[in-house]
Amino acid sequence: MKKILVVEDEKNIARFIELELRHEQFEVSVSHDGREGLELALEGNFDCLLLDVMLPSLNGIEICRRVRAQSDVPILLITARDAVMDRVAGLDAGADDYIVKPFAIEELLARVRSILRRTAKIDEDVSQLIQVRDLVINPESYEVKLENKKIDLTKTEYDLLKLLCENKNRVLEREKILQDVWGYDTEVETNVVDVYIRHLRAKLKTEQDSYIETVRGVGYVVRE
């Protein structure tokens, strides 16, 4: 169940939003004070924040700014109809979206669902990354980064590295590597694997880490 924090000082509005969100099967926490809302936002592990701009103790834009410095949780601002500068300031502070009072509850719910869908898509994209320590492979873009620096690889080098990282902590025999990277009907000798491993090691060389380990008489492994 997704967790949502509502920070709204108008108690009737806050209660109305809370009931509607609960009806949509969200878990809801409510605060009527800016400072308390900030503490909850930073400690509560929420999936989305709904912040009114005009709050006692600390306004919603400042809450947004402080939360965004520590978290990428989605933030929806609730603003007054004529407060254009509040909306601009809120977006600059890191808010993902805003809704203007008075609003239809259906629009608010739609905006919350939209934000959560976008967040889920980002999480899905990130989960597709293959990572071993400071080495990151993005299968969607065919990019490889080491210590956040892009590494240029040939197609074969990329396929070989991806295979090893997908099977991290598992020793792969040379014949297995040859079949998976070059194909079952290849006439390439197994020593070609050794040549490409040397190429990869040269490109992945760092002071601290040696990413590809040789298991003598067997093959190679990338260890976490």
Side-chain angles (χ1 to χ4, degrees), residues 118-165:
R118 292 201 300 270
T119 306
K121 179 63 170 63
I122 292 170
D123 290 344
E124 179 182 336
D125 290 342
V126 171
S127 69
Q128 292 175 355
L129 299 178
I130 302 166
Q131 183 165 3
V132 179
R133 302 193 295 278
D134 293 326
L135 178 66
V136 180
I137 301 173
N138 188 334
E140 291 291 319
S141 62
Y142 289 88
E143 279 189 342
V144 177
K145 290 186 177 181
L146 178 60
E147 296 177 344
N148 213 30
K149 296 178 181 178
K150 186 176 178 181
I151 305 296
D152 290 324
L153 302 178
T154 66
K155 176 65 164 59
T156 302
E157 289 169 347
Y158 172 86
D159 290 341
L160 174 55
L161 180 62
K162 181 170 177 283
L163 176 68
L164 290 168
C165 291

